[in-house]
Amino acid sequence: MARGAMQHVELDEAAELSAPAPAPPARPARLWRWVGSVAGAVVAVLVVTQVVLDVRESAASARLAATPGVVRAIDADVGVLWRPDPAATGVLTQGIEVGGAVLGLAVADDGSQAFVALDARTGEPRFSTPLVGADADRARSLDRSAAGTCVPVPADDGAPRQAACLVSDGFVHYGDEGVQTRKPATSTRVVVLDTADGHVVADVPAPGATALAALPGLAVVGVPGRDGQTEVTGRDLLTGDVRWRFSPPLPGADRRAFAGEVRLFAVDRLVGVTIPGWTATVLSSTGQVLRASRPGDADHVVDPLAGRAVLLLSGGSGGLWSTLVERGRADVELPGEVLPFTVDDGSVPDLVLTSSGNVRGWDGSTGDVRWKSDVVASVNALVLQGRVYLSTQAGVVALDGRTGDVVWRGVTAEGNVPGFLVTDGEVLVAADQPVAGGPRSELVAYALDDGRTVWRAPLPDGLRSSVALGHLFLGWGDDGRLAVLG
């Protein structure tokens, strides 16, 4: 048959009509299975997303909790955890905190000295390493502060693994009537100890040393001479071998800002040497003079959070100038007094505040003005989540860290002023304290986002104000005694 020819086809209509209808396609069942699979996948994605968010939030909370100056959680049930005696207070103020313990040099009731670790929550000793034996004369003194001190040896990351202690058997005896008797030191050493268990890593003599600073692998000590000339030496941390020497100028006539001896500080592998009547000399870790001193009524502030030293100098008109000194950067001079942050989460990079009648924000790398505010800071400042939180005479203030605009103001009770600002990362807490006498101070917690009062609680009996030291929340009274709060 040729292609395209017509064919005769017979249709059996009866068969066609009597045949059962074909079964409906199985698409709906497959569709429901598909919908169910998609829903399951969506739920799985949501669960995974929530887990990721929870992990990120947990990690962020952990990072914030580890930020220097952020204390452990505070709530309205805050109370006294323990009250340090004078020896323990001396340990707290040395500022070494590792693994939930505070460490430092302590003087016992029998006049002996030891490197101790005290549990931050209870005050109970974790370990004690004897360094100087009992001394009956020292035991009779009313002073329980050590003649020496301990400083952390900076680690590349995390908490310090070692502490360096200037240990001396000399002291000043304080009698009941305030009579002072000085006992000259017969032995002065630099002792390096492990912060985990207190074992001695190194113990080397440092005759006549009265000041100590530490850098990685380096102990810097100051030894005053009889003619007023001080010698500063950089020594191997473990062997005591002298690597370099530096002779600062003789003390000047202007002693308004200093006691009459050399002081040392260390920050970010820089060493500072301060002498009465002079600005600080800044040295490298190899003893090279990076910034020479000059005559003047001067002081300094160490800002460990920013890794810088701030040199303060009074101008001829009575104004104050601040010089920012950082390793690897040119000095930056700013009018006014720098207000270091007691907490800084890094959310506003290179922000520096000065206070001179009002608060100004500067770029710490260039010295350019970022913003000006009419707020007058009274105590301290914190940076969290892009905002600057300040304590002022009129109350607590939150500023936008990038513009200086006021975000919120939290007022205090009439006749009261807020004290030192403390945060646990969830709220701001400050003592709402009477200016003079009056009723007991209250702790007030402010919400970080809008400044609303979250809770109020009276400070425990005998305490007037509060402060953060490392991760510790402390209260103190009019008698100067401290209490660890929590």
Side-chain angles (χ1 to χ4, degrees), residues 216-278:
L218 189 73
V220 182
V221 299
V223 180
R226 292 183 178 179
D227 58 356
Q229 181 70 61
T230 298
E231 183 179 64
V232 176
T233 56
R235 309 181 181 200
D236 186 279
L237 187 67
L238 302 183
T239 67
D241 294 339
V242 175
R243 294 182 181 176
W244 51 260
R245 301 177 186 273
F246 170 70
S247 295
L250 290 170
D254 191 344
R255 300 191 176 193
R256 286 174 289 173
F258 289 114
E261 68 272 348
V262 64
R263 291 191 294 168
L264 303 176
F265 64 85
V267 60
D268 192 25
R269 301 180 186 269
L270 298 177
V271 178
V273 182
T274 60
I275 296 291
W278 295 81

Side-chain angles (χ1 to χ4, degrees), residues 300-306 308 310 312 322 337-344 351-355 379-383 389-390 420:
H300 73 274
V301 176
V302 175
D303 187 350
L305 299 186
R308 68 166 68 100
V310 181
L312 306 174
S322 296
E337 182 175 1
V338 164
L339 184 64
F341 298 123
T342 52
V343 173
D344 186 355
L351 177 66
V352 175
L353 297 188
T354 60
S355 177
V379 185
N380 67 315
L382 301 82
V383 174
Y389 298 95
L390 294 161
F420 191 100

Side-chain angles (χ1 to χ4, degrees), residues 30-66:
R30 289 197 298 270
L31 178 61
W32 283 114
R33 286 197 296 271
W34 179 81
V35 170
S37 299
V38 170
V42 170
V43 170
V45 168
L46 291 175
V47 169
V48 170
T49 300
Q50 188 59 50
V51 168
V52 170
L53 292 175
D54 290 344
V55 169
R56 288 179 178 174
E57 184 177 352
S58 177
S61 298
R63 284 195 300 271
L64 187 56

Side-chain angles (χ1 to χ4, degrees), residues 130-158:
L131 296 175
V132 178
D135 187 320
D137 291 335
R138 184 64 176 268
R140 287 192 292 270
S141 177
L142 299 178
D143 183 22
R144 281 292 179 268
S145 62
T149 189
C150 296
V151 295
V153 179
D156 291 334
D157 58 347

Side-chain angles (χ1 to χ4, degrees), residues 153-457:
V153 179
D156 291 334
D157 58 347
R161 300 176 182 86
Q162 295 176 339
C165 299
L166 181 61
V167 183
S168 171
D169 64 354
F171 64 94
V172 177
H173 175 87
Y174 293 91
D176 291 330
E177 298 178 357
V179 177
Q180 300 181 15
T181 305
R182 183 176 295 275
K183 179 184 176 181
T186 62
S187 172
T188 309
R189 307 131 56 203
V190 173
V191 184
V192 180
L193 303 107
D194 189 283
T195 57
D197 59 13
H199 76 266
V200 174
V201 178
D203 188 339
V204 296
T210 59
L212 170 70
L215 296 177
L218 189 73
V220 182
V221 299
V223 180
R226 292 183 178 179
D227 58 356
Q229 181 70 61
T230 298
E231 183 179 64
V232 176
T233 56
R235 309 181 181 200
D236 186 279
L237 187 67
L238 302 183
T239 67
D241 294 339
V242 175
R243 294 182 181 176
W244 51 260
R245 301 177 186 273
F246 170 70
S247 295
L250 290 170
D254 191 344
R255 300 191 176 193
R256 286 174 289 173
F258 289 114
E261 68 272 348
V262 64
R263 291 191 294 168
L264 303 176
F265 64 85
V267 60
D268 192 25
R269 301 180 186 269
L270 298 177
V271 178
V273 182
T274 60
I275 296 291
W278 295 81
T279 62
T281 302
V282 180
L283 310 173
S284 70
S285 60
T286 60
Q288 178 186 2
V289 176
L290 302 178
R291 195 179 200 282
S293 59
R294 56 181 177 173
D297 178 25
D299 206 339
H300 73 274
V301 176
V302 175
D303 187 350
L305 299 186
R308 68 166 68 100
V310 181
L311 310 184
L312 306 174
L313 180 67
S314 295
S317 61
L320 199 64
W321 283 80
S322 296
T323 302
L324 311 182
V325 179
E326 293 186 52
R327 184 165 61 95
R329 280 187 176 182
D331 290 355
V332 174
E333 292 194 354
L334 303 175
E337 182 175 1
V338 164
L339 184 64
F341 298 123
T342 52
V343 173
D344 186 355
D345 67 354
S347 56
V348 191
D350 269 331
L351 177 66
V352 175
L353 297 188
T354 60
S355 177
S356 56
N358 54 16
V359 173
R360 294 188 180 190
W362 307 82
D363 188 300
S365 61
T366 64
D368 295 336
V369 177
R370 290 188 180 180
W371 47 262
K372 293 189 291 185
S373 171
D374 60 358
V375 169
V376 179
S378 61
V379 185
N380 67 315
L382 301 82
V383 174
L384 282 172
Q385 300 168 7
R387 292 179 179 176
V388 175
Y389 298 95
L390 294 161
S391 183
T392 77
Q393 292 292 331
V396 178
V397 177
L399 306 178
D400 186 301
R402 291 163 182 79
T403 65
D405 295 335
V406 174
V407 179
W408 56 259
R409 296 178 185 267
V411 298
T412 56
E414 185 176 354
N416 286 10
V417 293
F420 191 100
L421 277 183
V422 176
T423 186
D424 61 0
E426 298 294 331
V427 293
L428 288 174
V429 178
D432 191 356
Q433 55 199 36
V435 175
R440 201 160 107 198
S441 300
E442 281 190 314
L443 289 176
V444 182
Y446 302 90
L448 290 169
D449 55 351
D450 58 11
R452 69 186 184 281
T453 299
V454 179
W455 51 260
R456 286 178 173 268

